[in-house]
Amino acid sequence: MLRWIRQQLGFDPPHQSETRTVYVANRFPQHGHYVPQRFADNRIISSKYTIWNFVPKNLFEQFRRIANFYFLIIFLVQLMIDTPTSPVTSGLPLFFVITVTAIKQGYEDWLRHKADNEVNGAPVFVVRSGSLVQTRSKNIRVGDIVRVAKDETFPADLVLLSSDRADGTCHITTASLDGETNLKTHYSVPETSVCQSVSQLEALQAVVECQQPEADLYRFVGRITVTQNGEEIVRPLGPENLLLRGARLKNTKEIFGVAVYTGMESKMALNYKCKSQKRSAVEKSMNTFLIIYLVILLFEAILSTILKYAWQAEAKWDEPFYNQKTEQERNSSRILKFISDFLAFLVLYNFIIPISLYVTVEMQKFLGSFFIGWDLDLYHEESDQKAQVNTSDLNEELGQVEYVFTDKTGTLTENEMQFRECSVNGIKYREVNGKLVPEGMTDDSPDGSTANLMGEELLFLKAVSLCHTVQISYDQPDCLIGGGDPFSHANGFSSNHMEYYAASPDEKALVEAAKRIGVAFTGSNGETMEIKTFGKFEKYKLLHVLEFDADRRRMSVILQTPSGGKVLFTKGAESAILPFTTSGEIEKTRLHVDEFALKGLRTLVVACRHFSPEDYIDVDKRLIAARTALQQREERLREAFDYIEKDLHLLGATGVEDKLQDKVQETIEALRLAGIKVWVLTGDKHETAVSVSLSCGHFHRTMNILELLQQRSDNECAEQLRRLARRIKEDHVIQHGLVVDGASLSLALREHEKLFMEVCKNCSAVLCCRMAPLQKAKVVRLFKTSPEKPITLAIGDGANDVSMIQEAHVGIGIMGKEGRQAVRNSDYAIARFRFLAKLLLVHGHFYYIRIATLVQYFFYKNVCFITPQFLYQFFCLFSQQTLYDSVYLTLYNICFTSLPILVYSLFEQLVHPHVLQNKPGLYRDISRNSLLSFRTFLYWTLLGFCHAFIFFFGSYILMGEDTTLMGNGQMFGNWTFGTLVFTVMVITVTLKLALETHFWTWMNHFVTWGSIAFYFIFSLFYGGIIWPFLHTQDMYFVFVQLLSSGSAWFAIIIIVITCLFPDVVKKVLYRHLQPTSTQKSQSLPASQAQALSCVESMCCYQHGQSGCSRLARLLEQMTGQCKASANNCQASSRNNRAWSDTENLYTNDRSILTLSPIEATHC
């Protein structure tokens, strides 16, 4: 009963079984008692609030913040007991902060509602009651047959029933789901593919059984049972039969599909992942400082309460003649009176906790994040992509990074593959002018000589042309529409007009290379694949595709040859193919694969297996049984694949080059100079990864490369780690590099984490190869949780990098060719790896110094604000008399001092951006949260207390003995004294920020001097009029009288100078006697900021490309080729001499000397 009630209220999910049964066209069984399953409707909901729950839900979320909750308590205390200040003083700032945040969150949610309504209200066509009916997307139900036309997106997850093609296939792109722009072919089962009209579909009797919804885009297990002539036919369903919501139909006129997952149960909606909230180091420091100030507040309140009762121990002060107690006050409980007094002091001093700090920080982060998107240096013109910010909460964390974990393929490299070499039957070949030329031979044969390739070479090229999932797009995209012959190009339509599309750039490069050599893949219709071998067309029947997966690391196809034989072609990583080969030139090919890898080429091994008729019958049965299984389908398929992909005959191997991105080497060296350690985590094999690491500057040629490879047991791994640790201590080499493979890493992380960490921390560069996606995340987590707790950054471009991007403190996605999953799950996204240098060294530096100063300054100005209030109690017998007027208490943080610090935190630049980029070492000055260290916090806090003492006692010296400061003998009162303190305070804290400002814009001038002017104008206006809605008029004419006194003006000037002069002297002395490297860089003129000398920044390479070098000074001294004058490098003619290993010049590090000719004109 209880479960039924919970289900009716929506607390329990409607489906409890492991599978769901979907009746096509909602034709439910008529016989027996059938209870239909309840499914979600097709509405997409990405919003957080509704019109009914917005206020309570938003308030609940906001009051979970400690500061907001604290001020709510203070406000309630002011309402409940007689406190010295009006409840408005706490209530108004709290209301302002809550309202601003609520408006911001409400507006963002309204935009989400608007987007949801557009999606849910989109028109769609469904088959109902024998006709095609137009309805809205939100009205689609599970079981409805939906029609989708060309270039439309699928409104729900559909199982493909039929298309306008005779074979029932369709092409789609999933760019909005995973960013892959290639065409993918999806299939319908033969029994439904013939139903191409509404009437045929209405008569269709079919039931789909499938798994319950899950987020994995690439996994779908189900089966369809079609009833024809009283006979039930069962067909398996997999990912190739499922059309995902959000994907788009291409090159197909229309399709019909049955909805199986709708609305928030569709795979796209299930991937709306709520990322775990990342908190920056600054936010953690801020919370620590808040707790310290809360302790100071409690201390001041308790001390004031105790001193009050100590003072009232004397009768004359307990009940003076002018303030007699009532009978009720005499008889009241002393404990309750003590608590009441304590709470009153708490309210009086509560402004030491800055409520507006949170809203200012939020505004600073939100507005500041736009600068990254607006930065033209982070804009990639070729792809028309600018940097994007997905999480503004981590801006300052970009300035604190200590470890960078980067993917290799597509991140350091272009992910643009070019076929370079191959090995066939133990002989190495390279491509020259569209021909395969054996190693050592020249291209002097006639044009048609490639056609002489026979036997193994031809079989190898056929395997490359047939074993893939490449799709073809034609210049005339509708050429295949209408059920025409997909091979019509053979009858006059030139195959030169076709373009290959592939999910993997490697596959595309190999198929294109085979086409250039003479074996061209010309088309596939789902059942047949066609190739053109030196002008002769051959058709192969496609029997089975054994899809690629990350565990097997290979993919295969089973084909029927034109002669009727059955053959398996397979390709994959050498570790996934060679152990299963039994014939062919295995050892020679293994050597060639290693040689290709040493050259930095990506390698694939190709093999085949011929089946006898009996073998194939067995294979076919196993595959069909595994594919139709509803339970444990993946395990059964894996077993079937392992059974089939064995006893292979090795055909050869391929070597494909992946070009490095521009300025990768300079970026890695700049990060290294900034004190950031770079780790490369890749799935490539060891030799390929090492070669790329050397070419991109991650490893230097003179580094002592340590290896932790092919460890087979815990003991063996531990012993090797101890050997490496000893070697690091004994070797006095400048730098060490470490290479680890995935298997050894698993052993190292299992029981020897500390030993592994010790070795890694002593290495300046680490390369992890053969890594699984989760291993990448484990490595990042290992460093995140180490005792030092360094700030980590992960950067990658593919779906396999998502786990480490989400795990790191800062995740950066590269807008590459492997989809948009990394970008969607990242905190920041950039188009190229080289942009990382500016993102960290410039934007990270600026964001950190801005928010660090903002936080410290907020606490400083609140100490200045509330300490005079505390001191004043010593002069008013702790009677809880307030020093400032309630309006001043309310507006101090909201109006008088809020804008200058906000503008400062948006525009401040300690150093010119060019200097920060050219001198990466400046990044070290702000590392380890140095600007928010306890020492710096203590300095700002003590400075606040000192200034507060000067404000209070400076004003007291002026007015303490004689309050007749007017020429006519008129006396000043306590409100004038408080206003004098407040005036001095507003001017001082504003000018203090002006002293801290290095980068002045018109906006800084406007808000700095405008805030002071606004205070004076407001005070004259507020005190110059009798306001009818105010209970008291304490401030009437007070400010005008104060300003009419020359002594008051003199006191204001003297007190402000007394406060700020020591600060100016300290800054001057420190800058001249103990300048930091940042302060030295501030003195560079603008001309030098853009054209730094070789010694100060980097050495110069060919074509003006800069590359950082610790040896720049040494090179200048020894070669004289980079002579810097005061403003720029002295021009000299190009010296076209490249340094080599044979030069007798600082042989301990060749990494710089082997790069390129030095050109002094481009420093």
Side-chain angles (χ1 to χ4, degrees):
M1 184 66 182
L2 182 63
R3 171 171 286 185
W4 181 85
I5 293 171
R6 286 176 60 83
Q7 285 184 356
Q8 299 310 306
L9 293 172
F11 292 116
D12 271 7
H15 47 74
Q16 298 293 332
S17 63
E18 291 184 3
T19 61
R20 61 168 52 188
T21 304
V22 178
Y23 291 87
V24 176
N26 289 308
R27 287 173 165 275
F28 301 117
Q30 302 300 317
H31 56 278
H33 180 65
Y34 172 72
V35 179
Q37 290 176 284
R38 290 174 59 238
F39 302 117
D41 60 26
N42 201 39
R43 286 181 304 155
I44 287 290
I45 303 169
S46 61
S47 53
K48 282 172 66 177
Y49 308 108
T50 66
I51 196 167
W52 308 110
N53 71 8
F54 174 72
V55 172
K57 192 172 181 181
N58 187 265
L59 287 177
F60 173 74
E61 287 180 350
Q62 292 208 55
F63 283 118
R64 285 196 301 178
R65 291 187 116 162
I66 295 172
N68 290 350
F69 185 71
Y70 162 77
F71 270 89
L72 177 66
I73 297 297
I74 293 292
F75 176 63
L76 294 175
V77 167
Q78 285 179 295
L79 289 175
M80 288 188 294
I81 67 170
D82 182 22
T83 55
T85 57
S86 164
V88 175
T89 57
S90 291
L92 190 62
L94 179 64
F95 177 76
F96 173 75
V97 170
I98 295 294
T99 305
V100 167
T101 308
I103 290 171
K104 172 177 170 280
Q105 293 178 350
Y107 173 70
E108 289 173 349
D109 204 61
W110 175 75
L111 291 178
R112 286 192 285 265
H113 270 283
K114 192 177 172 186
D116 289 347
N117 291 337
E118 281 182 23
V119 172
N120 295 329
V124 294
F125 287 93
V126 296
V127 176
R128 283 183 186 159
S129 304
S131 61
L132 207 56
V133 180
Q134 183 175 356
T135 183
R136 293 184 181 277
S137 174
K138 63 183 179 183
N139 297 328
I140 294 175
R141 297 169 298 172
V142 170
D144 278 346
I145 298 176
V146 183
R147 193 205 78 167
V148 180
K150 181 185 174 187
D151 290 327
E152 290 181 354
T153 56
F154 300 114
D157 288 352
L158 312 173
V159 167
L160 180 60
L161 294 177
S162 66
S163 73
D164 65 303
R165 297 166 182 262
D167 58 3
T169 61
C170 70
H171 294 299
I172 70 165
T173 61
T174 55
S176 61
L177 295 171
D178 56 17
E180 294 178 2
T181 55
N182 58 296
L183 292 176
K184 295 176 179 171
T185 305
H186 283 245
Y187 306 90
S188 59
V189 299
E191 286 72 25
T192 63
S193 62
V194 295
C195 302
Q196 294 184 332
S197 66
V198 174
S199 57
Q200 287 175 305
L201 289 164
E202 184 66 21
L204 177 66
Q205 291 188 358
V207 180
V208 174
E209 294 172 272
C210 59
Q211 62 189 148
Q212 294 293 5
E214 64 168 67
D216 191 341
L217 293 174
Y218 309 106
R219 185 174 184 271
F220 177 68
V221 178
R223 67 183 172 205
I224 184 168
T225 306
V226 183
T227 305
Q228 287 183 347
N229 303 321
E231 182 186 351
E232 291 188 350
I233 302 168
V234 180
R235 296 285 185 184
L237 297 175
E240 68 280 0
N241 305 110
L242 186 69
L243 305 171
L244 299 180
R245 177 176 188 140
R248 191 178 293 274
L249 185 64
K250 289 286 187 184
N251 285 14
T252 311
K253 189 176 177 183
E254 67 176 13
I255 65 100
F256 289 95
V258 58
V260 289
Y261 304 132
T262 50
M264 298 309 291
E265 292 184 339
S266 64
K267 288 183 180 286
M268 184 182 78
L270 292 173
N271 275 278
Y272 291 157
K273 186 173 183 294
C274 293
K275 292 186 287 187
S276 59
Q277 188 67 30
K278 294 181 179 180
R279 293 172 64 223
S280 68
V282 169
E283 193 177 341
K284 293 171 187 171
S285 299
M286 201 163 73
N287 290 339
T288 306
F289 298 158
L290 272 174
I291 292 168
I292 293 171
Y293 271 74
L294 193 60
V295 171
I296 293 172
L297 169 66
L298 292 172
F299 171 75
E300 287 184 348
I302 293 169
L303 181 65
S304 299
T305 310
I306 292 170
L307 289 175
K308 176 181 181 176
Y309 281 92
W311 210 293
Q312 290 178 353
E314 294 182 46
K316 64 175 182 176
W317 297 123
D318 181 37
E319 196 174 346
F321 69 92
Y322 55 82
N323 190 18
Q324 297 288 315
K325 290 181 180 178
T326 63
E327 196 63 33
Q328 184 182 354
E329 286 176 332
R330 288 194 185 99
N331 297 329
S332 62
S333 166
R334 293 181 67 85
I335 294 174
L336 287 176
K337 189 76 176 84
F338 184 90
I339 293 171
S340 176
D341 282 326
F342 168 72
L343 290 174
F345 281 117
L346 206 63
V347 167
L348 194 63
Y349 303 147
N350 82 83
F351 283 93
I352 199 170
I353 307 290
I355 185 173
S356 55
L357 172 61
Y358 279 108
V359 76
T360 309
V361 165
E362 272 198 18
M363 289 173 69
Q364 189 270 345
K365 288 183 174 184
F366 175 70
L367 296 173
S369 62
F370 287 106
F371 293 122
I372 290 177
W374 291 339
D375 190 343
L376 289 178
D377 288 341
L378 302 182
Y379 170 71
H380 190 244
E381 198 169 352
E382 288 85 348
S383 59
D384 189 29
Q385 290 170 327
K386 63 178 184 178
Q388 67 185 53
V389 179
N390 299 329
T391 310
S392 61
D393 293 342
L394 301 171
N395 293 342
E396 65 276 9
E397 207 81 326
L398 294 170
Q400 295 296 294
V401 174
E402 294 172 65
Y403 283 87
V404 168
F405 298 92
T406 174
D407 178 40
K408 182 182 74 67
T409 306
T411 305
L412 301 179
T413 61
E414 288 283 6
N415 207 8
E416 283 183 2
M417 310 300 174
Q418 290 181 327
F419 176 78
R420 289 293 180 222
E421 294 184 71
C422 66
S423 168
V424 184
N425 202 23
I427 301 170
K428 273 201 294 185
Y429 293 87
R430 55 194 173 88
E431 186 192 354
V432 179
N433 299 327
K435 300 170 190 173
L436 273 187
V437 180
E439 188 178 40
M441 292 182 64
T442 56
D443 179 32
D444 53 3
S445 56
D447 288 344
S449 65
T450 321
N452 296 326
L453 287 173
M454 294 299 288
E456 292 277 316
E457 292 84 355
L458 195 55
L459 190 59
F460 170 80
L461 289 173
K462 287 181 179 179
V464 169
S465 299
L466 292 166
C467 184
H468 54 73
T469 56
V470 172
Q471 299 297 327
I472 299 176
S473 180
Y474 298 90
D475 286 352
Q476 302 162 1
D478 292 333
C479 67
L480 298 184
I481 290 176
D485 180 8
F487 306 123
S488 58
H489 55 266
N491 301 316
F493 185 69
S494 171
S495 61
N496 291 330
H497 292 278
M498 63 191 181
E499 186 175 355
Y500 294 125
Y501 287 90
S504 161
D506 298 76
E507 281 195 339
K508 184 182 176 186
L510 291 174
V511 173
E512 286 176 343
K515 179 187 172 186
R516 290 194 300 271
I517 293 164
V519 181
F521 170 62
T522 54
S524 168
N525 66 357
E527 290 185 358
T528 312
M529 297 180 79
E530 185 187 69
I531 59 172
K532 185 179 179 183
T533 309
F534 305 116
K536 179 186 173 186
F537 287 98
E538 296 180 13
K539 285 189 179 181
Y540 288 77
K541 188 175 180 183
L542 181 60
L543 301 173
H544 293 285
V545 177
L546 280 59
E547 297 83 3
F548 175 87
D549 67 62
D551 295 329
R552 282 168 47 246
R553 296 177 64 84
R554 59 184 180 266
M555 71 87 61
S556 306
V557 292
I558 301 177
L559 304 164
Q560 181 174 309
T561 65
S563 61
K566 308 293 192 298
V567 64
L568 169 107
F569 288 129
T570 183
K571 74 170 189 289
E574 93 289 344
S575 60
I577 301 282
L578 292 179
F580 304 99
T581 55
T582 55
S583 59
E585 296 287 348
I586 298 172
E587 290 308 315
K588 284 184 181 178
T589 305
R590 195 192 303 273
L591 285 172
H592 291 166
V593 167
D594 291 341
E595 286 178 32
F596 294 162
L598 285 171
K599 294 177 185 176
L601 303 181
R602 292 165 62 87
T603 58
L604 284 173
V605 174
V606 183
C608 70
R609 178 184 174 186
H610 295 276
F611 296 110
S612 66
E614 297 78 18
D615 288 341
Y616 177 71
I617 291 170
D618 181 31
V619 163
D620 191 48
K621 280 182 181 176
R622 284 175 180 265
L623 279 174
I624 290 172
R627 289 189 196 279
T628 53
L630 270 184
Q631 304 296 328
Q632 298 179 327
R633 181 180 291 184
E634 283 84 359
E635 289 80 357
R636 293 191 182 188
L637 279 173
R638 197 176 302 120
E639 289 171 8
F641 289 172
D642 290 341
Y643 175 78
I644 296 164
E645 295 169 327
K646 64 180 183 179
D647 300 329
L648 302 173
H649 172 70
L650 183 61
L651 294 175
T654 60
V656 176
E657 181 185 31
D658 189 3
K659 287 198 308 182
L660 277 179
Q661 288 186 18
D662 287 343
K663 298 189 178 176
V664 167
Q665 182 164 4
E666 291 89 330
T667 304
I668 288 176
E669 188 64 29
L671 296 177
R672 191 174 282 135
L673 287 177
I676 299 170
K677 288 191 174 182
V678 180
W679 283 44
V680 175
L681 312 178
T682 178
D684 272 351
K685 72 191 300 284
H686 159 236
E687 292 83 2
T688 306
V690 170
S691 177
V692 173
S693 276
L694 286 166
S695 62
C696 74
H698 177 237
F699 282 169
H700 285 170
R701 298 285 174 188
T702 56
M703 265 187 187
N704 185 11
I705 307 295
L706 309 173
E707 293 185 343
L708 184 66
L709 302 170
Q710 298 174 347
Q711 305 301 305
R712 306 196 185 283
S713 67
D714 280 337
N715 293 335
E716 189 182 338
C717 181
E719 186 54 40
Q720 177 66 4
L721 282 169
R722 290 189 196 98
R723 274 199 298 270
L724 295 178
R726 280 197 304 272
R727 193 169 160 193
I728 289 171
K729 287 179 184 176
E730 292 165 3
D731 287 356
H732 300 292
V733 178
I734 301 171
Q735 292 175 329
H736 294 275
L738 178 66
V739 184
V740 192
D741 64 5
S744 304
L745 184 72
S746 296
L747 293 172
L749 295 184
R750 194 185 302 163
E751 301 206 4
H752 314 293
E753 278 190 11
K754 287 186 179 177
L755 196 54
F756 179 66
M757 287 280 289
E758 183 189 336
V759 172
C760 290
K761 285 175 183 175
N762 288 312
C763 295
S764 55
V766 180
L767 168 66
C768 300
C769 52
R770 288 288 187 233
M771 294 280 281
L774 282 177
Q775 280 185 314
K776 294 183 178 184
K778 280 183 182 176
V779 170
V780 175
R781 193 183 307 123
L782 176 69
F783 275 81
K784 258 180 74 176
T785 55
S786 64
E788 295 83 6
K789 295 202 168 13
I791 304 299
T792 58
L793 179 148
I795 178 168
D797 72 317
N800 60 333
D801 303 313
V802 168
S803 52
M804 77 167 178
I805 284 172
Q806 290 183 332
E807 184 63 48
H809 292 96
V810 182
I812 296 186
I814 296 281
M815 302 169 192
K817 297 180 175 61
E818 286 195 17
R820 288 289 181 275
Q821 277 180 295
V823 171
R824 285 207 321 270
N825 288 279
S826 64
D827 304 306
Y828 302 88
I830 53 179
R832 286 293 181 269
F833 181 79
R834 70 173 186 269
F835 296 154
L836 184 63
K838 184 166 189 187
L839 192 65
L840 298 187
L841 304 182
V842 178
H843 288 286
H845 194 284
F846 285 160
Y847 285 132
Y848 178 72
I849 59 165
R850 288 166 184 168
I851 202 159
T853 308
L854 182 150
V855 171
Q856 304 278 28
Y857 177 77
F858 248 95
F859 286 115
Y860 155 78
K861 72 186 178 78
N862 277 47
V863 168
C864 289
F865 180 40
I866 224 65
T867 304
Q869 180 80 70
F870 173 67
L871 296 173
Y872 187 56
Q873 297 308 303
F874 287 87
F875 295 86
C876 65
L877 292 181
F878 296 92
S879 61
Q880 297 151 10
Q881 169 65 35
T882 178
L883 177 61
Y884 314 118
D885 181 69
S886 292
V887 172
Y888 284 162
L889 277 171
T890 305
L891 297 183
Y892 175 74
N893 275 319
I894 294 177
C895 295
F896 299 145
T897 59
S898 59
L899 278 180
I901 184 60
L902 178 61
V903 172
Y904 170 94
S905 66
L906 289 174
F907 298 112
E908 174 63 355
Q909 296 181 10
L910 269 184
V911 188
H912 195 283
H914 287 295
V915 179
L916 288 174
Q917 263 191 290
N918 293 330
K919 299 185 72 176
L922 297 179
Y923 192 83
R924 296 171 185 254
D925 285 2
I926 59 167
S927 61
R928 304 296 295 174
N929 206 11
S930 59
L931 298 188
L932 281 175
S933 64
F934 189 75
R935 181 180 174 184
T936 317
F937 166 73
L938 204 60
Y939 164 75
W940 279 93
T941 303
L942 292 177
L943 187 69
F945 279 117
C946 290
H947 285 184
F949 273 79
I950 295 170
F951 301 154
F952 184 84
F953 289 108
S955 303
Y956 181 76
I957 290 167
L958 176 70
M959 299 177 62
E961 299 298 324
D962 184 7
T963 58
T964 56
L965 300 181
M966 300 290 288
N968 59 6
Q970 189 174 353
M971 299 176 72
F972 283 170
N974 65 313
W975 293 114
T976 312
F977 174 73
T979 304
L980 176 62
V981 172
F982 194 83
T983 304
V984 171
M985 178 171 59
V986 169
I987 296 171
T988 304
V989 297
T990 306
L991 292 180
K992 168 62 181 168
L993 185 63
L995 282 176
E996 294 296 319
T997 305
H998 294 85
F999 187 74
W1000 284 89
T1001 64
W1002 67 267
M1003 205 174 289
N1004 290 84
H1005 284 291
F1006 178 76
V1007 297
T1008 301
W1009 315 121
S1011 291
I1012 296 172
F1014 173 74
Y1015 165 69
F1016 277 87
I1017 294 166
F1018 173 83
S1019 298
L1020 289 169
F1021 186 67
Y1022 169 59
I1025 298 173
I1026 295 177
W1027 300 94
F1029 53 83
L1030 292 178
H1031 298 300
T1032 59
Q1033 298 290 329
D1034 295 328
M1035 294 299 292
Y1036 180 67
F1037 229 61
V1038 167
F1039 197 69
V1040 176
Q1041 279 190 322
L1042 178 68
L1043 296 189
S1044 60
S1045 166
S1047 302
W1049 278 104
F1050 180 73
I1052 290 170
I1053 294 168
I1054 290 296
I1055 292 170
V1056 170
I1057 291 175
T1058 306
C1059 284
L1060 297 180
F1061 183 71
D1063 206 40
V1064 174
V1065 172
K1066 170 187 166 288
K1067 284 180 178 293
V1068 171
L1069 288 176
Y1070 266 86
R1071 185 173 285 272
H1072 283 83
L1073 299 178
Q1074 286 184 325
T1076 62
S1077 53
T1078 303
Q1079 288 170 339
K1080 289 176 186 174
S1081 302
Q1082 286 170 342
S1083 59
L1084 282 173
S1087 58
Q1088 270 186 285
Q1090 296 194 30
L1092 292 170
S1093 70
C1094 300
V1095 176
E1096 286 294 328
S1097 61
M1098 310 173 198
C1099 200
C1100 312
Y1101 296 148
Q1102 197 172 13
H1103 311 307
Q1105 293 181 349
S1106 58
C1108 306
S1109 166
R1110 294 187 181 86
L1111 302 179
R1113 187 182 300 276
L1114 182 70
L1115 283 172
E1116 182 186 15
Q1117 292 172 353
M1118 300 187 73
T1119 65
Q1121 292 179 8
C1122 253
K1123 297 180 180 176
S1125 64
N1127 294 323
N1128 54 17
C1129 291
Q1130 180 181 334
S1132 64
S1133 60
R1134 173 176 293 190
N1135 188 331
N1136 285 318
R1137 174 168 165 259
W1139 301 107
S1140 68
D1141 284 0
T1142 57
E1143 300 287 344
N1144 184 21
L1145 199 154
Y1146 198 57
T1147 53
N1148 204 19
D1149 191 343
R1150 306 262 185 236
S1151 56
I1152 299 301
L1153 308 182
T1154 54
L1155 287 176
S1156 60
I1158 296 177
E1159 183 182 10
T1161 53
H1162 289 290
C1163 286

